Amino acid sequence: MIFQTIGGKKVSPTIHTRNIVKDEPHVEIHIGTDSQRQGLDIIYVTAIAYRYPFRGVHYIYCKETFPPIKDDWSRLWLETERTMQLAEQLSKEFPGLKFEIDMDYNEDEFYMSNKLVSAAKGWASSHGYKVNIKPHKQIATRAADHHCK
């Protein structure tokens, strides 16, 4: 995954995170992915959001285009896979650093994404991550959603 700042500068998520944590040891780090269909293709955006206490949020993101995925369950599950892949990569680089996983799924049974909540939340929780699901705190997935459009 190739990440960039909102200004378009390419950055390494590992180096960028290392620099942020060095300067701001109390930063909250959120990782999340969102996807949207554009024509036949699917756009996936994975974001790492750095929430500074009392000072707002900074984030970097990776935007990629994938070929069509016919069913929504598979499309949404790939969001979890991409998020977890990045979380595991960063956890190996930064043992002991806490990451929160933001999932763009809804606890409300009215929404189709509700069918993934139990499995996705269980996977992330089993790795020790705090998981945020809609309608609760969504930082990384809101940034990702912004760049999907």
Side-chain angles (χ1 to χ4, degrees), residues 92-109:
K92 287 178 186 169
E93 290 288 331
F94 304 100
L97 189 59
K98 299 291 182 198
F99 297 97
E100 293 188 31
I101 303 298
D102 295 350
M103 295 185 174
D104 195 33
Y105 307 145
N106 203 309
E107 288 180 335
D108 187 333
E109 291 181 14

Side-chain angles (χ1 to χ4, degrees), residues 69-114:
I69 297 174
K70 293 184 180 185
D71 67 289
D72 284 332
W73 200 97
S74 298
R75 176 182 60 86
L76 292 173
W77 187 253
L78 187 54
E79 291 179 10
T80 299
E81 290 176 351
R82 293 177 61 76
T83 298
M84 289 299 294
Q85 176 188 17
L86 180 59
E88 288 299 291
Q89 174 191 336
L90 291 175
S91 291
K92 287 178 186 169
E93 290 288 331
F94 304 100
L97 189 59
K98 299 291 182 198
F99 297 97
E100 293 188 31
I101 303 298
D102 295 350
M103 295 185 174
D104 195 33
Y105 307 145
N106 203 309
E107 288 180 335
D108 187 333
E109 291 181 14
F110 175 79
Y111 297 95
M112 195 289 284
S113 66
N114 174 266

